Amino acid sequence: MRRWLEDPLLNVEHLSMVFGGLSAVSDLSFSVGRGDITALIGPNGAGKTTVFNCITGFYKPTRGRLALARAGAIEDDALDRLTLSGQRFAGDLYLLERMADHEITRRAHVARTFQNIRLFAGMTVLENLIVAQHNELMRASKLTFGGLIGLPSYRAAETHAVQRALDWLKRIHLIHRADDAAGDLPYGDQRRLEIARAMLTDPVLLCLDEPAAGLNPRESAELTALLRSIRDEDRTSILLIEHDMSVVMQISDHVIVLDYGRKIADGTPQDVRDDPRVIAAYLGVEDEEDVAAAESEVARMAGEAP
Amino acid sequence: MPLSLAHALKQAAIAGLLALGLAFPILALRSDQDMNNRLIVETRWSWAIGAALAIFALRLIGLYLQHWRANRPQSVRSNEARKDYGTPLAWAGLIILFAFPFVILSLLGPQGALKWINNYGIQILIYVMLGWGLNIVVGLAGLLDLGYVAFYAVGAYSYALLSTTYGLSFWICLPLAGLLAAFWGILLGFPVLRLRGDYLAIVTLAFGEIIRVVLINWIEFSNGSAGISSIPRVTFFGLPFTAGEGGFAALFGLEFSPIHRVMFLYFLILCLALITNVVTLRMRNLPIGRAWEALREDEIACRSLGINTVNTKLTAFALGAMFGGFAGSFFAVRQNFVSPESFTFIESATILAIVVLGGMGSQIGVAIAAVLMIGGTEVLRELDVLKAIFGEGFDPAQYRMLVFGLGMVVMMIWKPRGLISTRTPTIFHMKRRAVSSDLVKEGHA
């Protein structure tokens, strides 16, 4: 089943990102399926993080359209109308390339984590998770004025926010560290906390930049279980960049391979694993003859394998 | 690792020689005029040698202190054992602050109390309030602002101009001054939104200077460096503090004394400062306050969580500026005279020093730092005893900056993150545990 073709959540069309003379991503198109775990892989410098930064609004793409539908389908005519209207969003449909980074999280509900963990190190674990619910609490505090005079509705909203945070802490097994500074946690715990913090913004799409980097095999297995539960229980689609192929192959529903800013393969983990171009990209094969050689090598190995 | 005497002596000798080299042009040679107005050079070798020896000794002591600190048994870094003394301390402080003028008055009488309430009480409280205002911008939001005095000036001139031109009373001008200062805070906020660190500091510094230079040169508006005089004095909610009929003293059946007005000013600034404190403390526990602190910790992470960092920065600037404006308008009503002279860069630097010395983000730390710095300066004026040691021409207040600088250097070595360097969390699950300063960022986003 190829959900990314039938029920896409995000359509990336002809995305290009040029820095000065350097083209980091060129004419990249792919779809992220609703309810899928989609992996974006490729060698170092392939442009994966650039794609992430474009989707989450940290970069303005040079060219291209990023259309996201929070609940319904991405209808072509509705999308065309929105594109021509010059608006950033209409109803359920969002054009991410027109929106600022904080708007993308707040309105389109796309959340992200970072390759180098960006927790608020000097704030406690619980505070980190409360800050993530900033926009809801800001509304509840009537833009601070209601909070200043201690409105009961604000206090109720805060209690609710704390409860949600504690539920997540139980889920990632960090409840006993709730009052410790986030910077004091071990690396693996920080990774999980960052994911929980992103989840507390109620995302429909969670973008994870190398979530398994630096984790030991046990933590890696825990992460896999957590990501599955996010997909199945929270109904949040996941887009992840990952170098750990065992993680990618285990949990992904859909894999996209980038090399030098271009898409070289797109399909199920099985499709991608057997694609000679992917093998060539990862093994660093130089020219066409070598690709042909790699292809025949793969064919030979596939024949031998049961 | 043991510290060898030879090494320590060598280090100290180098420091001493450096000091001698510096002292030669500064201390050893002194230019003066003789009877015929000719320039002559006097030599003061004993001064230079004395300075070099002093530095030698200090460096030696410093080295041994450093060695001792590094080698003493380390206690495990733990926040658990730290008890929360904050609340009872704050209440005790509050009672002392409200009782202070009455105690002084009963001890020294109206004449003697005037100086204490005015020079110590009011002067220190103005800086406590300014420190608390700046603490929102620098301590919480982590935006280094070197031009805070500009908002103080806006507040002072707002009251001065509105009251002398339109005859508005202080109680109407006070909120207006706060609003105007907040407006200028937002105005400053816009151009510096994209700036970080040193660049932010330089632009805010320039902003402070621009306001002062405009006040000096736009004579039709502000009367230039001559300033604005005869600003209406403060009234007791409409009752003037004057002798005779209709005055405060007459109405309350008291004997007229200037101390009434000073005491009223004292309580006024005390209330203004407390309002600043309460609002800041409350806001810190609200989403906006947490967003300020998150902004100090990591701006990019803030944006990834859907926090509008533009609004967050602007509210920090506006709120900090508003309290600066309140303090400024109090300054104008207390002095009855404002001139650009009062709003120089050194004022910004003093307020910033109070915030840094206190421990960025800590309210009680800022208050203690203000008492030490402003109170300390005033105490220097009192030290006439020193004249007995250094001779009749010695004026301790002249050495204010020297003491100030020395104090800063000592602080940077002893407590680089300020007097109260731990951060108190705004919310907790089981137990409120202070966060060590090693983890808390200084910001300057």
Side-chain angles (χ1 to χ4, degrees), chain A residues 78-92:
Chain A
L79 186 58
D80 287 342
R81 247 181 290 128
L82 174 59
T83 309
L84 291 175
S85 73
Q87 300 287 311
R88 289 165 299 162
F89 50 89
D92 185 38

Side-chain angles (χ1 to χ4, degrees), chain B residues 24 33 57-58 61 66 81 147 156-157 167 193 199 249 287 329 350 358 375 417:
Chain B
F24 175 71
Q33 287 176 332
L58 278 175
I61 295 167
Q66 242 176 19
Y157 270 86
L193 280 172
Y199 304 101
S329 107
T350 309
R417 292 298 293 269

